[in-house]
Amino acid sequence: MKDDRLERWHKVIFEKDMALLHDLLAEQVEFHSPTVWKPKQGRDITAYILSMVIEIFEDFEYHHEWIDNNSFALEFSAKIDGKNIKGVDLIHWDDEGQIKHFEVMMRPINGLNLMYEKMTEHLKEAGFI
Amino acid sequence: MKDDRLERWHKVIFEKDMALLHDLLAEQVEFHSPTVWKPKQGRDITAYILSMVIEIFEDFEYHHEWIDNNSFALEFSAKIDGKNIKGVDLIHWDDEGQIKHFEVMMRPINGLNLMYEKMTEHLKEAGFI
């Protein structure tokens, strides 16, 4: 079977295909944010956060993509309000081809703080926190 | 030729072999810290920072290691003053088997801030800043 997981993930990110994002996330997916320790659980909150992040990032690009069976590490760069950031998406898939664990790490601190402010603002508006 | 780069890197981290660390770093290595945007350049400052970080981290463990030719992505967990952190080391090697680019990303923000405080303190003491 052709492995089109990376291709489908790119479609989510670069074509902002939010219906596909929903399909790719397992119902019990865990989202580990770059800002806080405690993961968020479930497809709805994870889809919401990821779609928000996709909107916040400007000039998003992947630079290196490591694939090892069900585990991907995707190195990216982007801008937030014009500030440069780098990051990594760690994506673990289940055997049914859905994402069960999504973890993001980012540098440097000032970009991360800006991200945190923007995410908190959006989550409050949406009634999640 | 046997690829023993990962094994040698583990020896640096887990056996605190600082002479080997020096051998593995290219003279012009760039170190991209999790906290600030601007990289540090050169073997001495990079070796100094990495040896400091190795001392600061407690219970350091690698969880997943992606290898793609000259590019490694190594996912770790550790503690700083008892606080949990996760991170990734992105290591790019040159064709001579030395590290030319070392980049670290970490989560969450409180762990990163703690790291920053501790690194700044040490760098001041050593006269680097």
Side-chain angles (χ1 to χ4, degrees):
Chain A
M1 201 181 78
K2 184 174 167 282
D3 183 0
D4 60 359
R5 291 175 301 180
L6 186 61
E7 200 180 302
R8 297 179 90 202
W9 178 251
H10 283 178
K11 215 166 134 61
V12 169
I13 291 283
F14 296 111
E15 299 175 29
K16 303 189 179 183
D17 187 336
M18 294 305 126
L20 179 57
L21 171 61
H22 195 270
D23 288 350
L24 291 185
L25 296 173
E27 202 180 326
Q28 298 302 325
V29 60
E30 275 200 0
F31 179 78
H32 297 250
S33 99
T35 55
V36 296
W37 181 254
K38 204 181 160 205
K40 300 266 190 274
Q41 279 181 313
R43 184 189 282 146
D44 288 349
I45 180 72
T46 300
Y48 179 79
I49 292 174
L50 285 172
S51 61
M52 182 171 83
V53 169
I54 290 168
E55 289 302 325
I56 290 172
F57 283 147
E58 306 139 22
D59 302 338
F60 188 92
E61 266 183 78
Y62 281 126
H63 294 274
H64 207 105
E65 300 175 312
W66 289 266
I67 311 260
D68 177 23
N69 296 305
N70 281 344
S71 296
F72 293 10
L74 312 178
E75 180 188 348
F76 63 85
S77 67
K79 290 183 181 178
I80 305 175
D81 279 355
K83 266 199 193 316
N84 287 313
I85 61 112
K86 292 276 315 271
V88 170
D89 291 328
L90 302 181
I91 305 177
H92 298 283
W93 303 76
D94 62 23
D95 292 332
E96 283 72 47
Q98 286 192 305
I99 295 170
K100 62 178 180 179
H101 179 115
F102 200 109
E103 186 161 358
V104 187
M105 299 172 196
M106 270 174 48
R107 56 176 290 272
I109 286 182
N110 61 2
L112 202 53
N113 283 332
L114 203 54
M115 189 70 186
Y116 182 71
E117 281 168 33
K118 284 188 174 279
M119 282 179 69
T120 306
E121 220 170 83
H122 280 78
L123 285 169
K124 272 190 188 151
E125 275 169 25
F128 279 111
I129 53 175
Chain B
M1 202 180 77
K2 185 175 166 282
D3 183 2
D4 60 358
R5 292 174 300 180
L6 185 61
E7 199 180 303
R8 297 179 90 202
W9 179 250
H10 283 179
K11 214 165 134 62
V12 169
I13 291 282
F14 296 111
E15 298 175 28
K16 304 189 178 184
D17 186 336
M18 294 304 126
L20 179 58
L21 171 61
H22 195 270
D23 289 349
L24 290 185
L25 296 174
E27 201 179 327
Q28 298 303 324
V29 60
E30 275 199 0
F31 180 77
H32 297 250
S33 99
T35 55
V36 297
W37 181 255
K38 203 181 161 205
K40 299 267 190 276
Q41 279 181 314
R43 184 189 282 146
D44 288 348
I45 179 71
T46 300
Y48 180 78
I49 293 173
L50 285 172
S51 61
M52 182 171 81
V53 169
I54 289 168
E55 290 301 326
I56 290 172
F57 284 148
E58 306 138 23
D59 301 338
F60 188 92
E61 266 183 78
Y62 281 126
H63 293 274
H64 207 105
E65 300 175 312
W66 289 266
I67 312 261
D68 178 22
N69 296 307
N70 281 345
S71 297
F72 293 9
L74 312 178
E75 178 188 350
F76 63 85
S77 67
K79 289 184 182 179
I80 305 175
D81 278 354
K83 266 200 192 318
N84 287 312
I85 61 111
K86 291 277 313 273
V88 171
D89 291 329
L90 302 181
I91 305 177
H92 298 283
W93 303 76
D94 62 23
D95 291 334
E96 284 72 47
Q98 286 192 305
I99 295 170
K100 62 177 180 181
H101 179 115
F102 200 107
E103 185 162 358
V104 186
M105 300 174 194
M106 270 173 48
R107 58 178 288 275
I109 286 181
N110 62 1
L112 204 51
N113 283 332
L114 203 53
M115 190 69 187
Y116 182 71
E117 280 167 35
K118 283 187 173 281
M119 282 178 68
T120 306
E121 218 170 86
H122 281 79
L123 285 168
K124 272 188 188 152
E125 277 170 23
F128 280 110
I129 53 175

